[in-house]
């Protein structure tokens, strides 16, 4: 069963997450479907891509499919992970990608929304980054996505509490570009996309790549890079990692030990 549906009109592509029974959890299969969409669009005159969920979906994405998280000892988010590959594909995509968020967003789904070029949210949108709840480390690229989006103190609060932030707070801290009423957000987002599609696609493509390159320009010395990797290995070799995953799957509260 396909987890997404797509439309393409007036040079604007709309990708709709369509797996509400699983709260649009990003399974490897769904991530591969999404990547194939962008691969297909790269050879077409697609001026804007909108990523959205079904209108009546409570959850935009519940993040990575917890059933597919690896056993402790394996990096849960390696460079080759389908979510990481999709996010690089979105960053490198020639045209702007807009996340239209009308529900809650969790974990890797939040990172995915942040990787888009802009987020339009409805009053029902909320955002939670959850590694601390699952007992996993996050990866360096993902942490940089958050540090490029919010101040350090806000990023720390979001990661340490793993608590959702609501639409109003998301707008106030600049996470979402616009906060638009539920019954107007489709029209608003499409109009924004239409405005972009009428400008020069080449200029926009060049400016998008320049901004992304400049946004990433934060040097990391080799020893810092190695230290980060050692810290991550400590977390994904932990009891807490398996406890976080098992607690969710067994629908119980996790009892973390800190090791
Ligand atoms: O019980 P059934 O079989 O119907 O399945 C339930 C859930 O188990 C399933 N589901 C998921 N399955 C795998 N991975 C998920 N992330 C996931 N989320 C949900 O979907 C069915 C309906 O879910 P249910 O009954 O809980 O729906 P709800 O409306 O009561 O609650 C919606 C949520 C999103 C609040 C709730 O499902 C939830 O808390 N989901 C987990 C959110 C989360 O912690 N995501 C982080 C995943 S790990 C990740 O992304 C990274 C590794 S990290 O953590 O580092 O960012």
């Amino acid at each position: 069963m396909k987890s997404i549906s797509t439309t393409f009109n007036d040079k604007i592509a709309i990708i709709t997450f369509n797996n509400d029974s699983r709260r649009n959890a990003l399974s490897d299969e769904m991530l591969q479907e999404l990547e194939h969409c962008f691969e297909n669009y790269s050879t077409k005159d697609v001026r804007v891509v909108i990523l959205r969920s079904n209108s009546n979906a409570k959850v935009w994405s519940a993040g990575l499919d917890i059933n597919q998280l690896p056993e402790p000892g394996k990096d849960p988010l390696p460079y080759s992970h389908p979510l990481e590959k999709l996010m690089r594909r979105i960053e490198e995509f020639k045209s702007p990608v807009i996340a239209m968020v009308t529900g809650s967003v969790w974990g890797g789904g939040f990172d995915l929304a942040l990787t888009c070029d802009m987020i339009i949210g409805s009053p029902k949108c909320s955002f939670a980054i959850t590694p601390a709840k699952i007992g996993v480390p996050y990866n360096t690229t993902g942490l940089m996505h958050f540090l490029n989006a919010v101040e350090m103190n806000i990023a720390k609060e979001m990661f340490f509490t793993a608590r959702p932030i609501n639409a109003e707070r998301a707008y106030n801290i600049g996470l979402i570009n616009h906060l638009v009423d539920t019954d107007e957000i489709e029209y608003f987002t499409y109009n924004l996309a239409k405005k972009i599609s009428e400008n020069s696609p080449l200029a926009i493509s060049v400016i998008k790549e320049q901004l992304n390159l400049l946004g990433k320009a934060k040097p990391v010395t080799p020893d810092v890079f190695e230290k980060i990797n050692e810290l991550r290995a400590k977390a994904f070799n932990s009891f807490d990692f398996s406890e976080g995953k098992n607690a969710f799957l067994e629908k119980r509260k996790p009892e973390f030990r800190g090791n």
Side-chain angles (χ1 to χ4, degrees):
M1 190 269 284
K2 279 179 79 66
S3 308
I4 61 173
S5 62
T6 60
T7 60
F8 179 47
N9 296 302
D10 307 330
K11 301 185 174 63
I12 296 169
I14 300 178
I15 301 174
T16 303
F17 302 156
N18 189 29
N19 195 0
D20 298 343
S21 66
R22 308 298 298 165
R23 301 302 183 264
N24 296 320
L26 299 170
S27 63
D28 291 351
E29 299 73 24
M30 181 172 174
L31 290 163
Q32 274 143 23
E33 283 180 48
L34 287 164
E35 208 198 335
H36 290 152
C37 278
F38 282 95
E39 204 171 338
N40 175 33
Y41 293 154
S42 62
T43 58
K44 291 189 168 67
D45 184 11
V46 176
R47 305 280 176 94
V48 182
V49 178
I50 297 171
L51 278 190
R52 57 165 295 168
S53 57
N54 286 316
S55 306
N56 56 353
K58 287 190 312 180
V59 181
W60 191 79
S61 173
L64 285 184
D65 186 325
I66 295 174
N67 297 288
Q68 294 182 342
L69 286 178
E71 290 314 308
K74 277 195 184 162
D75 187 343
L77 265 175
Y79 184 80
S80 57
H81 191 285
L83 175 59
E84 296 300 314
K85 288 167 75 175
L86 173 64
M87 290 194 291
R88 289 195 294 273
R89 177 77 73 164
I90 288 172
E91 273 185 355
E92 292 158 9
F93 189 66
K94 60 187 177 186
S95 302
V97 180
I98 301 174
M100 187 183 93
V101 180
T102 51
S104 61
V105 186
W106 305 80
F110 188 176
D111 200 354
L112 174 62
L114 269 189
T115 303
C116 296
D117 297 292
M118 55 194 91
I119 304 176
I120 314 297
S122 79
K124 290 185 181 166
C125 77
S126 68
F127 302 85
I129 183 63
T130 48
K133 196 172 85 176
I134 309 282
V136 295
Y138 213 63
N139 64 10
T140 311
T141 312
L143 291 170
M144 287 305 291
H145 289 157
F146 284 85
L147 286 179
N148 281 339
V150 296
E151 295 301 328
M152 177 68 82
N153 59 314
I154 304 285
K156 285 179 177 175
E157 180 191 337
M158 290 199 292
F159 273 94
F160 298 165
T161 63
R163 209 170 38 194
I165 58 167
N166 66 23
E168 189 187 353
R169 181 118 196 268
Y171 180 64
N172 290 339
I173 61 175
L175 257 187
I176 60 178
N177 295 58
H178 298 275
L179 178 50
V180 182
D181 281 346
T182 305
D183 54 3
E184 291 167 16
I185 191 167
E186 284 188 27
Y187 178 77
F188 179 94
T189 305
Y190 196 84
N191 256 358
L192 178 66
K194 192 119 182 58
K195 178 68 197 135
I196 294 171
S197 73
E198 291 158 358
N199 289 331
S200 158
L202 176 61
I204 287 172
S205 176
V206 166
I207 293 165
K208 173 174 173 176
E209 188 164 357
Q210 287 173 292
L211 288 172
N212 283 345
L213 288 170
L214 291 168
K216 286 184 188 176
K218 291 185 175 66
V220 175
T221 57
D223 62 317
V224 166
F225 181 78
E226 278 158 19
K227 175 72 179 164
I228 287 172
N229 276 345
E230 190 180 277
L231 288 166
R232 298 190 65 241
K234 193 165 81 173
F236 63 68
N237 275 294
S238 67
F239 165 84
D240 278 6
F241 178 17
S242 53
E243 172 60 9
K245 174 180 172 185
N246 295 337
F248 176 77
L249 298 176
E250 295 158 17
K251 300 189 186 299
R252 60 177 172 78
K253 207 166 162 46
E255 289 173 24
F256 293 123
R257 292 184 196 153
N259 57 28

